[in-house]
């Protein structure tokens, strides 16, 4: 819970991690390799939610999405 900023929406935090670590543009970060459905955030508004609106398991999935967004396989 403390890894996510409670003042920013989940999507912003994921794209911010991509912009910092992969040095991509805002548009590329929004349409990048991460996908909320890929990590099991099923509701369509999950990426637009604040961290306190998600359950503990969904917050864990957000952290996994942040890790996968930086394309660690390359």
């Amino acid at each position: 819970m403390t890894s996510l900023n409670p003042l920013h929406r989940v999507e912003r935090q994921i794209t911010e991690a991509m912009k910092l670590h992969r040095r991509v543009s805002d548009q590329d970060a929004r349409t990048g390799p991460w996908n909320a459905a890929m990590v099991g955030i099923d509701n369509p508004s999950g990426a637009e939610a604040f961290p306190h609106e998600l359950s503990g398991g969904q917050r864990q999935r957000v952290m996994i999405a942040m890790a996968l967004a930086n394309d660690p396989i390359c």
Side-chain angles (χ1 to χ4, degrees):
M1 178 65 180
T2 60
S3 297
L4 297 172
N5 187 337
L7 301 176
H8 299 294
R9 296 186 185 275
V10 168
E11 181 181 28
R12 179 178 178 197
Q13 294 183 56
I14 294 172
T15 56
E16 182 179 359
M18 289 180 66
K19 289 190 295 187
L20 290 173
H21 294 284
R22 297 182 69 209
R23 301 189 196 285
V24 297
S25 68
D26 290 336
Q27 182 64 26
D28 289 340
R30 284 190 201 99
T31 60
W34 79 277
N35 184 348
M38 176 178 69
V39 294
I41 299 175
D42 298 329
N43 58 347
S45 63
E48 295 151 5
F50 288 99
H52 69 274
E53 297 174 330
L54 302 174
S55 69
Q58 287 176 320
R59 287 190 295 251
Q60 287 180 338
R61 292 182 186 122
V62 168
M63 295 304 297
I64 293 170
M66 288 176 79
L68 292 176
N70 290 318
D71 202 17
I73 306 300
C74 290

